[in-house]
Amino acid sequence: MMKRTSAGLITLVSLIPFVLGQAQEFAQCGGIGFTGATTCVAGTTCQVLNPYFSQCLPGSSSAPSSGPTTTPPANPTSSSHSSTPTSTPTTTPAAGNPFEGHNIFLSPPYASEVAAAVPQFTNSATAALAAKVADIPTFIWLDEVAKVPSLGTYLSAASAQGKSSGTPSLVQIVVYDLPDRDCSADASNGEFTIADNGQANYFNYIDQIVAQIKPFPDVRVVAVIEPDSLANLVTNLGVAECAAAQTTYLACITYAMQQLTTVGVIQYLDAGHAGWLGWPANLQPAAQLFNSLYTSAGSPSGVRGLATNVANYNALVAASPDPITSGNPNFDEMLYIEALAPLLDPFPAHFIVDQGRSGVQDIRSQWGDWCNVLGAGFGTQPTLNTGSSFIDSIVWVKPGGECDGTSNSSAPRFDPHCALSDATPNAPQAGTWFQAYFETLVEKANPPI
Ligand SMILES: *[C@@H]1O[C@H](CO)[C@@H](O)[C@H](O)[C@H]1NC(C)=O
């Protein structure tokens, strides 16, 4: 089963600038354009991570940089974007919207989970709705190497479906097995560690995925690449584990982009969400990382763009700003994408957006809350009707109903976020089925299932 990580994403959204006198732990406390509090609460110190971002990190004042950056350094590179004409990429990006003209293959593991969940509903009308969820495509998470062989089985079935229907199949996967994965969280549960041959193990994991895909050129594979990883490199290099993982992450993601391109995989690199990289101070550093990584990898033609809001709860277009987003003009995914897209060059400015659990808004106490958020409902179903030429498709990346983490504080891998008042109580271990949560997602689906 998926470990907590597939959803446990994004604790870091505590990166929210705080408008009261003192910035909270992990909140932004300085950087170019930042206007919020520049002193941190007791027990934390404001540390400069880059010219755009200083953050209140645990620890007292022995920290290297004593204060936030209040003076912008000379010239951030933003001017180069407006003056640079649209250039012709050296490698032709994947042509057109990859979702067009394909039938999306339904995830077999999720279909099994839903099939087992339906008989447990006490209300037959709701059970009938729940059964329909099995027909909504979600992504298949390859979050450990042991799951890779099943990919060939799915591709074989997808190939057969394509041949019999006359419309080619599209299989959606998440590549998610970096060594020292989830470097900024307490309970990072990746199977590989950098200290123990992690990079070689990761390359082998990618090689195995490539080998599974190669025999099925008739099936289109779309992949989300490594949720959280690059966003952590933008904002969390002040976390020792992230700083230590930086070189390996970059090498591993470069290898994944290049090798997956050889078998035609259409790739979207994970780009966090509006409440993370969408803060104005983070946009330029994020774009710079995506642009430079893409260029240094040789502009792999399989790379199509970015995936946002994976396993999170943000609206694509919020009817009104959730109060927890206060201070960020990019308070929904559309605003975030429209702010980031113009900064992407040569990185291709195409996006997919997870809306699997975004049906109900204004349910979180803080933007950084991510664990089994109470009252969430399934969101807009996957569609190519996205309202933006930047967005290829609305997707469901997170399989709704799989638990984000246990609420039992005595259990292994407990994360305090999973016991907050806006997290659903009585939650089982991460990755296991959380029936009560699934039932709420169905009941509160918006639009209705
Ligand atoms: C919480 O976890 C502990 C340790 O695994 C276990 O002994 C206990 O029974 C669990 N409590 C509940 C309510 O599940």
Side-chain angles (χ1 to χ4, degrees):
M1 299 303 297
M2 191 183 313
K3 310 269 195 309
R4 73 168 277 280
T5 36
S6 74
L9 306 181
I10 312 175
T11 332
L12 335 152
V13 215
S14 345
L15 303 177
I16 310 165
F18 210 69
V19 267
L20 299 180
Q22 288 189 309
Q24 302 293 300
E25 185 175 10
F26 299 119
Q28 186 175 2
C29 52
I32 296 170
F34 177 70
T35 56
T38 55
T39 54
C40 297
V41 293
T44 69
T45 310
C46 190
Q47 297 190 33
V48 178
L49 303 187
N50 61 49
Y52 304 90
F53 198 81
S54 301
Q55 187 179 19
C56 297
L57 293 173
S60 52
S61 46
S62 57
S65 306
S66 56
T69 309
T70 49
T71 311
N75 181 23
T77 50
S78 54
S79 58
S80 68
H81 290 282
S82 46
S83 60
T84 305
T86 310
S87 57
T88 308
T90 50
T91 307
T92 311
N97 184 340
F99 289 86
E100 274 171 8
H102 288 75
N103 286 332
I104 303 180
F105 181 73
L106 297 170
S107 161
Y110 190 58
S112 304
E113 288 173 327
V114 171
V118 169
Q120 299 180 53
F121 279 72
T122 49
N123 177 309
S124 61
T126 320
L129 294 177
K132 292 168 70 177
V133 175
D135 295 329
I136 301 171
T138 59
F139 278 60
I140 298 164
W141 288 66
L142 302 177
D143 50 13
E144 52 191 10
V145 70
K147 290 185 180 173
V148 174
S150 62
L151 179 59
T153 312
Y154 305 149
L155 289 165
S156 176
S159 174
Q161 285 178 13
K163 285 177 181 132
S164 66
S165 71
T167 302
S169 295
L170 184 154
V171 170
Q172 304 178 126
I173 61 171
V174 181
V175 172
Y176 191 52
D177 207 10
L178 281 175
D180 290 5
R181 189 173 70 190
D182 212 6
C183 61
S184 67
D186 292 338
S188 133
N189 283 304
E191 62 186 335
F192 300 145
T193 62
I194 294 170
D196 187 15
N197 213 30
Q199 182 168 315
N201 287 335
Y202 188 80
F203 282 21
N204 173 263
Y205 159 82
I206 295 295
D207 291 345
Q208 289 193 37
I209 293 174
V210 167
Q212 294 289 318
I213 292 172
K214 200 164 191 170
F216 301 99
D218 56 318
V219 179
R220 175 161 288 174
V221 178
V222 165
V224 168
I225 306 297
E226 297 294 346
D228 282 4
S229 57
L230 295 173
N232 271 322
L233 299 189
V234 175
T235 66
N236 286 312
L237 291 178
V239 176
E241 290 82 354
C242 293
Q246 181 177 26
T247 310
T248 306
Y249 276 19
L250 295 176
C252 287
I253 292 171
T254 297
Y255 189 78
M257 289 192 291
Q258 292 171 336
Q259 296 305 311
L260 294 171
T261 291
T262 67
V263 285
V265 177
I266 310 290
Q267 300 159 60
Y268 295 87
L269 273 52
D270 186 82
H273 61 90
W276 190 354
L277 300 184
W279 286 98
N282 295 339
L283 290 168
Q284 181 69 41
Q288 202 169 322
L289 178 59
F290 293 125
N291 290 334
S292 65
L293 185 63
Y294 178 74
T295 303
S296 67
S299 308
S301 61
V303 175
R304 170 72 182 173
L306 299 171
T308 78
N309 201 47
V310 169
N312 211 278
Y313 305 84
N314 296 338
L316 177 58
V317 178
S320 60
D322 186 330
I324 59 169
T325 69
S326 174
N328 187 346
N330 302 317
F331 55 79
D332 63 29
E333 294 303 302
M334 185 69 82
L335 291 164
Y336 166 40
I337 286 166
E338 288 178 348
L340 180 60
L343 307 179
L344 296 173
D345 178 16
F347 193 94
H350 304 288
F351 295 81
I352 54 175
V353 183
D354 190 356
Q355 289 291 284
R357 304 194 299 184
S358 297
V360 183
Q361 290 299 301
D362 302 357
I363 53 175
R364 288 171 285 182
S365 317
Q366 297 188 80
W367 210 350
D369 295 351
W370 51 263
C371 193
N372 305 317
V373 170
L374 193 57
F378 283 120
T380 304
Q381 293 180 24
T383 176
L384 305 190
N385 185 9
T386 65
S388 168
S389 58
F390 291 125
I391 305 175
D392 288 338
S393 185
I394 290 169
V395 291
W396 286 13
V397 182
K398 168 75 184 183
E402 292 187 2
C403 189
D404 296 329
T406 178
S407 56
N408 177 352
S409 60
S410 315
R413 295 195 283 131
F414 170 72
D415 189 298
H417 282 91
C418 302
L420 293 173
S421 58
D422 61 357
T424 307
N426 303 315
Q429 274 292 354
T432 61
W433 191 251
F434 191 1
Q435 179 71 16
Y437 202 68
F438 178 68
E439 295 190 7
T440 310
L441 287 170
V442 172
E443 287 158 10
K444 295 188 180 293
N446 175 29
I449 296 293

mmCIF file of all heavy atoms in Angstrom, residues 88-118:
data_model
loop_
_atom_site.group_PDB
_atom_site.id
_atom_site.type_symbol
_atom_site.label_atom_id
_atom_site.label_comp_id
_atom_site.label_asym_id
_atom_site.label_seq_id
_atom_site.Cartn_x
_atom_site.Cartn_y
_atom_site.Cartn_z
ATOM 1 N N THR A 88 12.638 28.991 -29.857
ATOM 2 C CA THR A 88 12.290 27.668 -30.356
ATOM 3 C C THR A 88 13.084 26.647 -29.570
ATOM 4 O O THR A 88 14.309 26.716 -29.535
ATOM 5 C CB THR A 88 12.668 27.557 -31.845
ATOM 6 O OG1 THR A 88 12.091 28.667 -32.516
ATOM 7 C CG2 THR A 88 12.131 26.275 -32.436
ATOM 8 N N PRO A 89 12.394 25.731 -28.907
ATOM 9 C CA PRO A 89 13.127 24.746 -28.124
ATOM 10 C C PRO A 89 14.004 23.883 -29.026
ATOM 11 O O PRO A 89 13.646 23.636 -30.181
ATOM 12 C CB PRO A 89 12.022 23.895 -27.475
ATOM 13 C CG PRO A 89 10.724 24.508 -27.857
ATOM 14 C CD PRO A 89 10.963 25.528 -28.905
ATOM 15 N N THR A 90 15.118 23.457 -28.485
ATOM 16 C CA THR A 90 16.014 22.631 -29.293
ATOM 17 C C THR A 90 15.444 21.234 -29.496
ATOM 18 O O THR A 90 15.689 20.594 -30.487
ATOM 19 C CB THR A 90 17.383 22.514 -28.605
ATOM 20 O OG1 THR A 90 17.153 22.130 -27.252
ATOM 21 C CG2 THR A 90 18.121 23.826 -28.638
ATOM 22 N N THR A 91 14.669 20.766 -28.515
ATOM 23 C CA THR A 91 14.034 19.477 -28.666
ATOM 24 C C THR A 91 12.530 19.724 -28.715
ATOM 25 O O THR A 91 12.006 20.467 -27.906
ATOM 26 C CB THR A 91 14.342 18.569 -27.455
ATOM 27 O OG1 THR A 91 15.748 18.533 -27.281
ATOM 28 C CG2 THR A 91 13.819 17.169 -27.684
ATOM 29 N N THR A 92 11.872 19.112 -29.639
ATOM 30 C CA THR A 92 10.440 19.339 -29.750
ATOM 31 C C THR A 92 9.712 18.714 -28.571
ATOM 32 O O THR A 92 9.855 17.521 -28.326
ATOM 33 C CB THR A 92 9.906 18.691 -31.042
ATOM 34 O OG1 THR A 92 10.744 19.104 -32.108
ATOM 35 C CG2 THR A 92 8.483 19.123 -31.312
ATOM 36 N N PRO A 93 8.957 19.500 -27.827
ATOM 37 C CA PRO A 93 8.208 18.915 -26.725
ATOM 38 C C PRO A 93 7.126 17.979 -27.255
ATOM 39 O O PRO A 93 6.754 18.071 -28.424
ATOM 40 C CB PRO A 93 7.571 20.117 -26.019
ATOM 41 C CG PRO A 93 8.154 21.327 -26.648
ATOM 42 C CD PRO A 93 8.717 20.921 -27.962
ATOM 43 N N ALA A 94 6.644 17.141 -26.374
ATOM 44 C CA ALA A 94 5.559 16.249 -26.750
ATOM 45 C C ALA A 94 4.461 17.092 -27.403
ATOM 46 O O ALA A 94 4.016 18.082 -26.851
ATOM 47 C CB ALA A 94 5.031 15.556 -25.512
ATOM 48 N N ALA A 95 4.063 16.694 -28.587
ATOM 49 C CA ALA A 95 3.149 17.541 -29.354
ATOM 50 C C ALA A 95 1.729 17.471 -28.807
ATOM 51 O O ALA A 95 1.197 16.400 -28.585
ATOM 52 C CB ALA A 95 3.169 17.108 -30.806
ATOM 53 N N GLY A 96 1.144 18.616 -28.586
ATOM 54 C CA GLY A 96 -0.273 18.685 -28.250
ATOM 55 C C GLY A 96 -0.603 18.146 -26.870
ATOM 56 O O GLY A 96 0.261 17.691 -26.127
ATOM 57 N N ASN A 97 -1.874 18.247 -26.551
ATOM 58 C CA ASN A 97 -2.342 17.757 -25.254
ATOM 59 C C ASN A 97 -2.341 16.235 -25.261
ATOM 60 O O ASN A 97 -3.092 15.616 -26.009
ATOM 61 C CB ASN A 97 -3.748 18.300 -25.006
ATOM 62 C CG ASN A 97 -4.277 17.928 -23.639
ATOM 63 O OD1 ASN A 97 -3.794 16.984 -23.004
ATOM 64 N ND2 ASN A 97 -5.277 18.655 -23.174
ATOM 65 N N PRO A 98 -1.505 15.608 -24.418
ATOM 66 C CA PRO A 98 -1.358 14.146 -24.498
ATOM 67 C C PRO A 98 -2.614 13.368 -24.107
ATOM 68 O O PRO A 98 -2.725 12.187 -24.411
ATOM 69 C CB PRO A 98 -0.223 13.851 -23.521
ATOM 70 C CG PRO A 98 -0.206 15.005 -22.587
ATOM 71 C CD PRO A 98 -0.647 16.202 -23.392
ATOM 72 N N PHE A 99 -3.545 14.041 -23.441
ATOM 73 C CA PHE A 99 -4.750 13.335 -23.016
ATOM 74 C C PHE A 99 -5.772 13.212 -24.147
ATOM 75 O O PHE A 99 -6.663 12.376 -24.080
ATOM 76 C CB PHE A 99 -5.399 14.059 -21.817
ATOM 77 C CG PHE A 99 -4.607 13.926 -20.550
ATOM 78 C CD1 PHE A 99 -3.575 14.807 -20.268
ATOM 79 C CD2 PHE A 99 -4.875 12.905 -19.630
ATOM 80 C CE1 PHE A 99 -2.827 14.681 -19.099
ATOM 81 C CE2 PHE A 99 -4.135 12.775 -18.469
ATOM 82 C CZ PHE A 99 -3.104 13.671 -18.201
ATOM 83 N N GLU A 100 -5.615 14.054 -25.161
ATOM 84 C CA GLU A 100 -6.606 14.041 -26.238
ATOM 85 C C GLU A 100 -6.539 12.740 -27.029
ATOM 86 O O GLU A 100 -5.471 12.201 -27.271
ATOM 87 C CB GLU A 100 -6.383 15.240 -27.177
ATOM 88 C CG GLU A 100 -7.087 16.473 -26.664
ATOM 89 C CD GLU A 100 -6.733 17.744 -27.424
ATOM 90 O OE1 GLU A 100 -6.051 17.656 -28.454
ATOM 91 O OE2 GLU A 100 -7.143 18.826 -26.941
ATOM 92 N N GLY A 101 -7.701 12.247 -27.398
ATOM 93 C CA GLY A 101 -7.761 11.071 -28.266
ATOM 94 C C GLY A 101 -7.446 9.761 -27.592
ATOM 95 O O GLY A 101 -7.137 8.782 -28.263
ATOM 96 N N HIS A 102 -7.496 9.747 -26.267
ATOM 97 C CA HIS A 102 -7.181 8.524 -25.532
ATOM 98 C C HIS A 102 -8.271 8.213 -24.509
ATOM 99 O O HIS A 102 -8.929 9.119 -23.988
ATOM 100 C CB HIS A 102 -5.842 8.662 -24.797
ATOM 101 C CG HIS A 102 -4.660 8.651 -25.713
ATOM 102 N ND1 HIS A 102 -4.318 9.723 -26.497
ATOM 103 C CD2 HIS A 102 -3.756 7.677 -25.978
ATOM 104 C CE1 HIS A 102 -3.246 9.415 -27.213
ATOM 105 N NE2 HIS A 102 -2.882 8.183 -26.921
ATOM 106 N N ASN A 103 -8.408 6.931 -24.216
ATOM 107 C CA ASN A 103 -9.230 6.514 -23.075
ATOM 108 C C ASN A 103 -8.299 6.272 -21.890
ATOM 109 O O ASN A 103 -7.296 5.560 -22.022
ATOM 110 C CB ASN A 103 -9.970 5.210 -23.375
ATOM 111 C CG ASN A 103 -11.129 5.429 -24.335
ATOM 112 O OD1 ASN A 103 -11.711 6.514 -24.396
ATOM 113 N ND2 ASN A 103 -11.447 4.388 -25.102
ATOM 114 N N ILE A 104 -8.641 6.841 -20.740
ATOM 115 C CA ILE A 104 -7.768 6.657 -19.571
ATOM 116 C C ILE A 104 -8.068 5.314 -18.924
ATOM 117 O O ILE A 104 -9.226 4.985 -18.624
ATOM 118 C CB ILE A 104 -7.936 7.796 -18.565
ATOM 119 C CG1 ILE A 104 -7.652 9.144 -19.253
ATOM 120 C CG2 ILE A 104 -6.984 7.600 -17.383
ATOM 121 C CD1 ILE A 104 -7.799 10.342 -18.345
ATOM 122 N N PHE A 105 -7.017 4.554 -18.733
ATOM 123 C CA PHE A 105 -7.107 3.230 -18.111
ATOM 124 C C PHE A 105 -7.385 3.395 -16.613
ATOM 125 O O PHE A 105 -6.745 4.211 -15.935
ATOM 126 C CB PHE A 105 -5.776 2.514 -18.334
ATOM 127 C CG PHE A 105 -5.688 1.130 -17.773
ATOM 128 C CD1 PHE A 105 -6.368 0.077 -18.368
ATOM 129 C CD2 PHE A 105 -4.904 0.877 -16.644
ATOM 130 C CE1 PHE A 105 -6.268 -1.215 -17.858
ATOM 131 C CE2 PHE A 105 -4.806 -0.410 -16.123
ATOM 132 C CZ PHE A 105 -5.489 -1.457 -16.737
ATOM 133 N N LEU A 106 -8.334 2.631 -16.099
ATOM 134 C CA LEU A 106 -8.705 2.750 -14.685
ATOM 135 C C LEU A 106 -7.730 1.956 -13.822
ATOM 136 O O LEU A 106 -7.385 0.815 -14.143
ATOM 137 C CB LEU A 106 -10.131 2.235 -14.480
ATOM 138 C CG LEU A 106 -11.206 3.032 -15.237
ATOM 139 C CD1 LEU A 106 -12.548 2.311 -15.180
ATOM 140 C CD2 LEU A 106 -11.325 4.452 -14.675
ATOM 141 N N SER A 107 -7.306 2.539 -12.721
ATOM 142 C CA SER A 107 -6.329 1.892 -11.848
ATOM 143 C C SER A 107 -6.902 0.616 -11.237
ATOM 144 O O SER A 107 -7.867 0.672 -10.478
ATOM 145 C CB SER A 107 -5.940 2.872 -10.724
ATOM 146 O OG SER A 107 -5.353 2.178 -9.645
ATOM 147 N N PRO A 108 -6.325 -0.548 -11.535
ATOM 148 C CA PRO A 108 -6.851 -1.788 -10.949
ATOM 149 C C PRO A 108 -6.800 -1.823 -9.416
ATOM 150 O O PRO A 108 -7.771 -2.254 -8.790
ATOM 151 C CB PRO A 108 -5.998 -2.886 -11.578
ATOM 152 C CG PRO A 108 -5.551 -2.288 -12.876
ATOM 153 C CD PRO A 108 -5.319 -0.830 -12.561
ATOM 154 N N PRO A 109 -5.701 -1.358 -8.781
ATOM 155 C CA PRO A 109 -5.729 -1.412 -7.313
ATOM 156 C C PRO A 109 -6.821 -0.537 -6.710
ATOM 157 O O PRO A 109 -7.456 -0.919 -5.715
ATOM 158 C CB PRO A 109 -4.336 -0.918 -6.895
ATOM 159 C CG PRO A 109 -3.573 -0.579 -8.111
ATOM 160 C CD PRO A 109 -4.370 -0.986 -9.316
ATOM 161 N N TYR A 110 -7.061 0.615 -7.325
ATOM 162 C CA TYR A 110 -8.106 1.486 -6.772
ATOM 163 C C TYR A 110 -9.487 0.879 -7.022
ATOM 164 O O TYR A 110 -10.357 0.934 -6.148
ATOM 165 C CB TYR A 110 -8.006 2.884 -7.394
ATOM 166 C CG TYR A 110 -8.895 3.913 -6.705
ATOM 167 C CD1 TYR A 110 -8.760 4.178 -5.343
ATOM 168 C CD2 TYR A 110 -9.869 4.599 -7.409
ATOM 169 C CE1 TYR A 110 -9.568 5.105 -4.708
ATOM 170 C CE2 TYR A 110 -10.681 5.553 -6.783
ATOM 171 C CZ TYR A 110 -10.524 5.792 -5.428
ATOM 172 O OH TYR A 110 -11.324 6.716 -4.796
ATOM 173 N N ALA A 111 -9.659 0.288 -8.183
ATOM 174 C CA ALA A 111 -10.949 -0.361 -8.459
ATOM 175 C C ALA A 111 -11.239 -1.440 -7.418
ATOM 176 O O ALA A 111 -12.381 -1.586 -6.962
ATOM 177 C CB ALA A 111 -10.933 -0.957 -9.867
ATOM 178 N N SER A 112 -10.201 -2.174 -7.012
ATOM 179 C CA SER A 112 -10.395 -3.218 -5.990
ATOM 180 C C SER A 112 -10.785 -2.605 -4.659
ATOM 181 O O SER A 112 -11.655 -3.119 -3.951
ATOM 182 C CB SER A 112 -9.114 -4.025 -5.772
ATOM 183 O OG SER A 112 -8.680 -4.570 -6.962
ATOM 184 N N GLU A 113 -10.127 -1.526 -4.310
ATOM 185 C CA GLU A 113 -10.432 -0.874 -3.026
ATOM 186 C C GLU A 113 -11.880 -0.367 -3.011
ATOM 187 O O GLU A 113 -12.603 -0.542 -2.025
ATOM 188 C CB GLU A 113 -9.457 0.285 -2.778
ATOM 189 C CG GLU A 113 -8.052 -0.178 -2.439
ATOM 190 C CD GLU A 113 -7.030 0.959 -2.351
ATOM 191 O OE1 GLU A 113 -7.142 1.955 -3.089
ATOM 192 O OE2 GLU A 113 -6.102 0.842 -1.541
ATOM 193 N N VAL A 114 -12.281 0.241 -4.102
ATOM 194 C CA VAL A 114 -13.640 0.783 -4.159
ATOM 195 C C VAL A 114 -14.658 -0.363 -4.125
ATOM 196 O O VAL A 114 -15.683 -0.284 -3.425
ATOM 197 C CB VAL A 114 -13.823 1.668 -5.412
ATOM 198 C CG1 VAL A 114 -15.280 2.055 -5.605
ATOM 199 C CG2 VAL A 114 -12.944 2.915 -5.306
ATOM 200 N N ALA A 115 -14.360 -1.430 -4.844
ATOM 201 C CA ALA A 115 -15.292 -2.564 -4.867
ATOM 202 C C ALA A 115 -15.484 -3.140 -3.466
ATOM 203 O O ALA A 115 -16.592 -3.549 -3.093
ATOM 204 C CB ALA A 115 -14.777 -3.637 -5.824
ATOM 205 N N ALA A 116 -14.419 -3.167 -2.686
ATOM 206 C CA ALA A 116 -14.523 -3.690 -1.324
ATOM 207 C C ALA A 116 -15.236 -2.709 -0.394
ATOM 208 O O ALA A 116 -15.835 -3.104 0.607
ATOM 209 C CB ALA A 116 -13.119 -3.996 -0.786
ATOM 210 N N ALA A 117 -15.181 -1.431 -0.736
ATOM 211 C CA ALA A 117 -15.760 -0.400 0.139
ATOM 212 C C ALA A 117 -17.272 -0.284 -0.023
ATOM 213 O O ALA A 117 -17.981 0.019 0.943
ATOM 214 C CB ALA A 117 -15.111 0.956 -0.165
ATOM 215 N N VAL A 118 -17.745 -0.511 -1.225
ATOM 216 C CA VAL A 118 -19.161 -0.263 -1.510
ATOM 217 C C VAL A 118 -20.109 -1.052 -0.605
ATOM 218 O O VAL A 118 -21.066 -0.480 -0.065
ATOM 219 C CB VAL A 118 -19.447 -0.505 -3.010
ATOM 220 C CG1 VAL A 118 -20.948 -0.512 -3.287
ATOM 221 C CG2 VAL A 118 -18.749 0.557 -3.854
#
